Amino acid sequence: EGDLRWTGVQARDSWAVSRLSSIVVGLDYERVKSVSRSFARTGEPTAPFSADARKDTVGVYVENTLRLREDRTVVTLGGRLDHITTETLDTPLKTNFTPSKATFDVFNPSVGLKHELVAGLRAHFTVGRAFIPAEASMLTGFTTTVVGGRTQINQGNPDLKPERSTSFDAGAEWSSQTTRVDVTAFRT
């Protein structure tokens, strides 16, 4: 069994820089802690398969929106920088394990365009990048296990890069006073 605890804080603000431009700035902090437990058939605690772990993330982001041609064209440009520290922790009963820590930074940009083709009909396009960090056990830790007389060694790779994805979408939005229809195609 295990416990997974998520705590954090988010702060965000926006400013109208001018009649044409506005900026959104934000800061996120998140801590995720996982604790693992295992039990024998008798109910006695045993060493868990996974080590306890903690991940701290500090993210900052900025997005600028530029409104042109009397709001008929809207351009957004943004980016987010995350600083992530992930570590495996000393885990009760897990004597074959040495904890460690890995730290890395990830930058993800985005850009979007919305343009009014005729009154009530807008075309839009966005592209952005995202990521998924590896689990703590893939980045940190050193475990030795003897199975059938053979010693198995598992060691995290602190140089392992996060999985990345890039998403594109394009579509059209039609709106009137009572109706709004948006058709969008996307690919990740």
Side-chain angles (χ1 to χ4, degrees):
E1 68 180 25
D3 292 325
L4 187 60
R5 293 188 199 119
W6 242 285
T7 56
V9 64
Q10 297 177 330
R12 176 184 153 195
D13 202 0
S14 60
W15 297 280
V17 177
S18 71
R19 185 180 64 76
L20 302 176
S21 178
S22 63
I23 294 178
V24 175
V25 177
L27 171 72
D28 295 342
Y29 170 76
E30 174 183 80
R31 172 170 277 180
V32 180
K33 186 171 182 183
S34 63
V35 176
S36 299
R37 290 179 289 282
S38 290
F39 302 92
R41 290 182 185 181
T42 61
E44 287 293 312
T46 63
F49 177 76
S50 298
D52 296 347
R54 181 173 60 222
K55 180 177 73 168
D56 293 318
T57 304
V58 176
V60 293
Y61 59 90
V62 176
E63 183 177 77
N64 184 34
T65 301
L66 184 61
R67 299 178 182 284
L68 306 170
R69 301 181 64 233
E70 298 173 358
D71 288 348
R72 290 194 310 265
T73 302
V74 179
V75 179
T76 58
L77 179 64
R80 179 181 174 103
L81 177 65
D82 287 282
H83 178 76
I84 300 172
T85 301
T86 185
E87 62 185 312
T88 46
L89 306 170
D90 279 324
T91 304
L93 305 175
K94 196 161 181 64
T95 57
N96 63 341
F97 174 74
T98 304
S100 63
K101 181 190 295 190
T103 300
F104 58 95
D105 298 313
V106 180
F107 177 71
N108 292 296
S110 64
V111 65
L113 174 67
K114 189 181 269 192
H115 181 71
E116 184 177 53
L117 302 172
V118 295
L121 180 63
R122 289 182 178 260
H124 57 81
F125 171 80
T126 59
V127 61
R129 190 169 64 195
F131 74 100
I132 299 172
E135 298 289 323
S137 62
M138 296 174 190
L139 296 166
T140 64
F142 181 86
T143 305
T144 58
T145 308
V146 177
V147 177
R150 294 176 43 168
T151 302
Q152 295 179 346
I153 297 173
N154 293 319
Q155 182 171 354
N157 179 359
D159 296 324
L160 189 63
K161 302 297 181 210
E163 293 182 42
R164 293 183 185 257
S165 66
T166 302
S167 295
F168 303 86
D169 72 64
E173 173 189 288
W174 175 77
S175 59
S176 68
Q177 288 183 337
T178 59
T179 307
R180 182 178 169 271
V181 177
D182 188 322
V183 176
T184 302
F186 61 91
R187 180 177 177 146
T188 299

